[in-house]
Amino acid sequence: MSKTKVSIKDIAQKAGVSTALVSYVLNGKEKESRVGQEIAIKIKQIAAELHYQPSHLAKSLRSGKTHTIGLIIADISNPFFANIARVVEDEAKRNGYTVIIGSSDENADKSRDLINVLINRQIDGFIIVSSENSEQQIHDLKDKNIPFVLLDRYFPEIPTDFVSTDHYKASYDAGTHLVKNGYKRVGMIAYDSHLFHMQERIRGYQDSLRDNKVDFQETWLKKVKINNIENGVKAAIDEMLASTQPVDAVLFATYSLAVSGLKHITKLSLKVPEDLAIVSFGQAEVFELYYCPITYLKQPIVLLGQTAVELLVKKLTNNLNEPAQILMKAELIVRASSKTKYSLST
Amino acid sequence: MSKTKVSIKDIAQKAGVSTALVSYVLNGKEKESRVGQEIAIKIKQIAAELHYQPSHLAKSLRSGKTHTIGLIIADISNPFFANIARVVEDEAKRNGYTVIIGSSDENADKSRDLINVLINRQIDGFIIVSSENSEQQIHDLKDKNIPFVLLDRYFPEIPTDFVSTDHYKASYDAGTHLVKNGYKRVGMIAYDSHLFHMQERIRGYQDSLRDNKVDFQETWLKKVKINNIENGVKAAIDEMLASTQPVDAVLFATYSLAVSGLKHITKLSLKVPEDLAIVSFGQAEVFELYYCPITYLKQPIVLLGQTAVELLVKKLTNNLNEPAQILMKAELIVRASSKTKYSLST
């Protein structure tokens, strides 16, 4: 690319004028510098013919702003993140920003690489869905005074601006809903992860059982490794059903876990909710089109994405005067998969 | 960001050495320039303490390469593109490249903006899923000698390197499969789009009917606007069923069309495949978990993504000696939704 790059000098030569004159015109300063209209038009035409691209770096050094946001998501193939990325883009565009996306694949090294690649490309700031063990990256961004907002996940021990679902409350609501609907042996399948949002989902589930006087059993809580979802979920369900106190309901901590779970449940010919009630985090077409529509925790994707952009834009324009730590409510959408137990025929 | 940016000068001052010396060390040239090991370590330590980031531009001007690929996808919220992006990233990483993603939301203006933003950020080349009416952008990239590979969609009238599904063949296979299985009034719901891949899907469907001696009816082919999928699909299905020759099978040209279609079919309490057989482009969890598993055209996502990266890397390293225009086969995965009509009880 660099060898074909057209410079101001090339344009100046072709137009037979000074580089300073070209620079004035291409930076929209022809009026201040009293350049004739005719020569200004000629310069612009030549620039267009030569496919001149103003150097991004030079432009951003002048204004200090590039109007570009870096969005780091945890996994682009997860519909939750893909959909939130779409919202972030739409909202950024409304605010005059372009979004460049990197996906860390839940890998801290890759996340660090992406953040560095984007810093070197002069973005104005970041919106980040953090991956596990990436705390140091957040500290580094703070040390370097690079504006950022964390999205959906945050580190409670690091003071940052963030916007997130209230994961604890969502999980607590789901657990309570199942117990109130007559399910007394409620299990949960979560990820084996140190990430705070996952810990909060687990804590909410456990507290909901305790507060509703259900005697939580260790065998009801299964933690699956994120790189072994399919087999992990299979084993988890098999074990939960084979225990001395087999579960009659399962709360899936993520959409991916639920999809793997539904596949296995279908294979086992278990009837939902008669044999096993289901609630899942996250919204997806599959929850609507399953023969027994699935109760789910609807995360506020649009509001999360819009608020993250809003906060970052405020930071970039020096209009965010105090720390913003925003928790949003997930809505429990009740469908047939968690129907009141007493209403079931079996 | 710019005000906190640490320069080589800052490091030189703190270390009490010349900027040239710092530059040598940070560019890994301490040996050639005979810098003492102690002072080299000191310079590196100070650079780390000050969080020095080498200027990307300077680095890339030296090597002419940034080892960064720009990936433009048509819609990040579409699982096909999100999954292919994941494959491109994995394969790029294996080749030592970082991927920066932009999503055009099927909008040519946005696509142009993204391409320009990424060009100004010194990427080495592009992988592009083109949006409608973006032909001029492809011409511009060619004129500027910017390396790129088109993915999944291409413009037959513009000679470019591309890797794509054979959309015509896939559609032809699906139509033939339905007719051979006893469905004689096969409809298709596609997008109202000039994009070649969509035209090819429609042509394949029409040719499959003609070659199998089915008298194609205009009312069987419906074109839905991409910004009105839900209502467009509803109306299309209603009209197809109400026509004097109502369809007994539908081929959906995309996953999104199929999902909207299945929602409406479920609402109408139509039985699949007894009342209506279904085949769809694209793979998705919902096709597996629907009460009647859906026959679909499995696009070679992994191979498409890997080959696109492979071609681009070859171009970037001057190892692609002839034009590469690769069509790949989609596999028809036959499930219950297109079962042989004679085997059905109704």
Side-chain angles (χ1 to χ4, degrees):
Chain A
M1 275 166 64
S2 42
K3 53 184 173 184
T4 63
K5 186 116 187 154
V6 173
S7 71
I8 284 189
K9 212 170 146 187
D10 300 326
I11 300 168
Q13 274 177 354
K14 194 148 183 198
V17 300
S18 71
T19 53
L21 199 57
V22 173
S23 172
Y24 280 131
V25 170
L26 296 181
N27 289 316
K29 293 183 181 166
E30 56 258 52
K31 272 184 194 149
E32 311 162 29
S33 48
R34 298 188 202 134
V35 180
Q37 208 190 336
E38 232 168 279
I39 189 72
I41 289 171
K42 184 177 173 193
I43 288 171
K44 283 179 188 169
Q45 273 176 345
I46 291 171
E49 278 163 22
L50 296 177
H51 302 293
Y52 170 72
Q53 290 280 351
S55 161
H56 169 72
L57 187 64
K59 234 172 51 176
S60 69
L61 282 177
R62 272 196 307 280
S63 73
K65 299 287 178 207
T66 65
H67 285 272
T68 310
I69 293 173
L71 170 65
I72 308 287
I73 54 179
D75 180 5
I76 196 171
S77 66
N78 178 326
F80 173 69
F81 297 125
N83 284 320
I84 218 164
R86 174 71 191 252
V87 174
V88 166
E89 281 190 325
D90 288 347
E91 186 67 13
K93 195 171 171 62
R94 249 196 297 281
N95 284 276
Y97 286 81
T98 302
V99 178
I100 300 179
I101 305 165
S103 172
S104 69
D105 300 343
E106 303 279 7
N107 177 315
D109 287 341
K110 208 169 161 193
S111 165
R112 179 181 295 278
D113 285 352
L114 282 167
I115 288 175
N116 286 336
V117 161
L118 292 182
I119 288 176
N120 286 336
R121 276 163 180 78
Q122 274 80 32
I123 55 138
D124 290 343
F126 283 101
I127 295 173
I128 300 175
V129 182
S130 295
S131 52
E132 203 173 1
N133 303 319
S134 66
E135 287 89 337
Q136 190 53 47
Q137 295 162 36
I138 303 304
H139 284 301
D140 289 349
L141 287 174
K142 290 187 72 171
D143 290 349
K144 290 181 196 164
N145 276 326
I146 295 175
F148 69 94
V149 171
L150 297 188
L151 176 57
D152 189 51
R153 303 174 178 181
Y154 61 99
F155 302 101
E157 70 282 9
I158 313 179
T160 59
D161 298 314
F162 65 76
V163 50
S164 169
T165 304
D166 188 341
H167 300 286
Y168 171 85
K169 176 77 166 60
S171 214
Y172 185 93
D173 288 350
T176 301
H177 162 75
L178 283 165
V179 177
K180 297 255 186 242
N181 269 6
Y183 301 93
K184 296 301 184 202
R185 299 185 306 281
V186 178
M188 179 178 203
I189 300 183
Y191 284 134
D192 185 8
S193 164
H194 295 297
L195 280 168
F196 183 65
H197 78 287
M198 196 49 66
Q199 297 299 322
E200 285 290 272
R201 291 183 186 186
I202 292 170
R203 191 170 67 90
Y205 151 75
Q206 289 180 311
D207 283 2
S208 76
L209 296 195
R210 188 201 60 212
D211 291 355
N212 287 287
K213 307 203 168 32
V214 174
D215 189 17
F216 168 71
Q217 304 292 309
E218 290 293 342
T219 52
W220 294 351
L221 173 62
K222 300 292 179 191
K223 294 178 186 174
V224 170
K225 296 219 182 298
I226 197 158
N227 53 8
N228 187 31
I229 296 179
E230 193 101 9
N231 288 321
V233 168
K234 264 189 211 173
I237 291 176
D238 291 346
E239 285 167 31
M240 287 170 135
L241 292 172
S243 87
T244 50
Q245 296 207 53
V247 297
D248 56 5
V250 175
L251 169 59
F252 289 99
T254 74
Y255 156 81
S256 300
L257 292 169
V259 167
S260 287
L262 289 176
K263 283 182 193 169
H264 190 52
I265 286 164
T266 304
K267 201 164 274 173
L268 293 176
S269 302
L270 291 176
K271 275 198 81 177
V272 177
E274 289 81 353
D275 299 329
L276 199 61
I278 304 283
V279 177
S280 176
F281 262 83
Q283 45 268 54
E285 280 101 5
V286 70
F287 294 159
E288 274 191 70
L289 286 169
Y290 194 61
Y291 72 90
C292 171
I294 303 294
T295 299
Y296 62 90
L297 287 157
K298 186 178 176 187
Q299 291 168 283
I301 289 183
V302 174
L303 219 52
L304 283 169
Q306 287 181 343
T307 308
V309 173
E310 193 188 302
L311 290 180
L312 184 61
V313 169
K314 276 190 182 168
K315 290 181 85 152
L316 295 177
T317 51
N318 298 314
N319 289 315
L320 189 67
N321 301 316
E322 39 195 51
Q325 305 196 326
I326 301 173
L327 285 185
M328 292 183 172
K329 210 177 160 305
E331 190 186 355
L332 186 72
I333 307 291
V334 178
R335 316 292 295 275
S337 74
S338 61
K339 231 183 340 201
T340 316
K341 209 167 182 181
Y342 317 105
S343 72
L344 301 177
S345 50
T346 55
Chain B
M1 277 165 64
S2 43
K3 51 184 174 188
T4 64
K5 187 117 186 153
V6 174
S7 72
I8 285 190
K9 213 169 147 188
D10 300 325
I11 300 168
Q13 274 177 354
K14 195 149 183 201
V17 300
S18 71
T19 52
L21 199 56
V22 173
S23 172
Y24 280 131
V25 170
L26 296 182
N27 288 316
K29 295 185 180 166
E30 57 258 52
K31 272 183 196 151
E32 312 162 27
S33 47
R34 300 192 199 130
V35 180
Q37 209 191 336
E38 233 168 278
I39 190 73
I41 290 171
K42 188 178 169 189
I43 287 169
K44 284 178 187 170
Q45 273 175 345
I46 290 171
E49 278 162 23
L50 296 177
H51 301 291
Y52 171 73
Q53 291 279 354
S55 160
H56 169 72
L57 187 63
K59 237 172 48 179
S60 68
L61 283 178
R62 271 196 307 281
S63 74
K65 298 288 177 206
T66 65
H67 284 271
T68 309
I69 293 173
L71 170 65
I72 309 287
I73 53 180
D75 180 4
I76 195 170
S77 65
N78 178 326
F80 172 69
F81 298 125
N83 285 319
I84 218 164
R86 174 70 190 252
V87 174
V88 166
E89 281 191 325
D90 287 348
E91 187 66 13
K93 194 171 171 59
R94 249 196 296 281
N95 284 278
Y97 286 81
T98 303
V99 177
I100 300 180
I101 305 165
S103 172
S104 69
D105 300 344
E106 303 279 6
N107 176 314
D109 288 341
K110 209 170 162 193
S111 165
R112 179 182 294 278
D113 284 353
L114 282 167
I115 288 175
N116 285 337
V117 162
L118 292 181
I119 288 176
N120 286 335
R121 277 166 180 75
Q122 274 81 35
I123 54 138
D124 290 343
F126 283 102
I127 294 174
I128 300 175
V129 181
S130 295
S131 51
E132 202 173 2
N133 302 320
S134 66
E135 287 89 336
Q136 190 53 48
Q137 296 162 37
I138 303 304
H139 284 301
D140 288 350
L141 287 173
K142 290 187 73 171
D143 290 349
K144 290 181 195 164
N145 275 325
I146 294 175
F148 69 93
V149 172
L150 299 188
L151 177 56
D152 190 51
R153 302 173 179 182
Y154 61 98
F155 302 101
E157 70 283 10
I158 313 179
T160 59
D161 297 313
F162 65 75
V163 50
S164 169
T165 304
D166 187 341
H167 300 286
Y168 171 84
K169 176 77 167 60
S171 215
Y172 186 92
D173 288 349
T176 301
H177 161 75
L178 282 165
V179 177
K180 297 258 185 237
N181 268 5
Y183 302 94
K184 298 297 182 203
R185 299 185 306 281
V186 177
M188 181 179 202
I189 300 183
Y191 284 134
D192 184 8
S193 164
H194 295 298
L195 279 168
F196 183 64
H197 77 287
M198 194 52 64
Q199 298 299 322
E200 284 291 271
R201 291 183 187 186
I202 292 170
R203 191 170 67 90
Y205 151 75
Q206 289 179 310
D207 283 1
S208 75
L209 297 195
R210 187 201 59 212
D211 291 355
N212 287 286
K213 310 204 165 29
V214 174
D215 188 18
F216 168 71
Q217 304 291 310
E218 290 293 342
T219 53
W220 294 350
L221 173 61
K222 299 292 179 190
K223 295 180 185 173
V224 169
K225 294 217 181 300
I226 196 158
N227 54 7
N228 187 33
I229 297 180
E230 193 101 10
N231 288 322
V233 169
K234 264 189 211 174
I237 291 177
D238 290 347
E239 285 166 31
M240 286 169 136
L241 292 171
S243 87
T244 49
Q245 296 207 53
V247 296
D248 57 5
V250 175
L251 169 59
F252 289 99
T254 74
Y255 156 81
S256 300
L257 292 169
V259 167
S260 287
L262 289 177
K263 282 182 192 168
H264 190 53
I265 287 164
T266 304
K267 200 164 273 172
L268 293 176
S269 302
L270 292 177
K271 275 198 85 177
V272 177
E274 288 81 353
D275 299 329
L276 199 60
I278 304 283
V279 176
S280 175
F281 262 83
Q283 46 269 55
E285 280 101 5
V286 71
F287 294 160
E288 274 193 69
L289 286 169
Y290 194 61
Y291 73 89
C292 172
I294 303 295
T295 298
Y296 61 91
L297 287 157
K298 186 177 176 187
Q299 291 167 285
I301 289 184
V302 173
L303 219 52
L304 283 169
Q306 287 180 343
T307 308
V309 173
E310 193 189 301
L311 289 181
L312 184 60
V313 169
K314 276 191 183 166
K315 289 182 87 151
L316 296 176
T317 52
N318 299 313
N319 288 315
L320 190 68
N321 301 317
E322 39 195 50
Q325 305 197 326
I326 301 174
L327 285 185
M328 291 184 174
K329 208 178 160 302
E331 190 186 354
L332 186 73
I333 307 290
V334 178
R335 315 294 294 275
S337 74
S338 60
K339 234 185 331 204
T340 317
K341 209 168 183 181
Y342 317 106
S343 72
L344 301 177
S345 50
T346 55

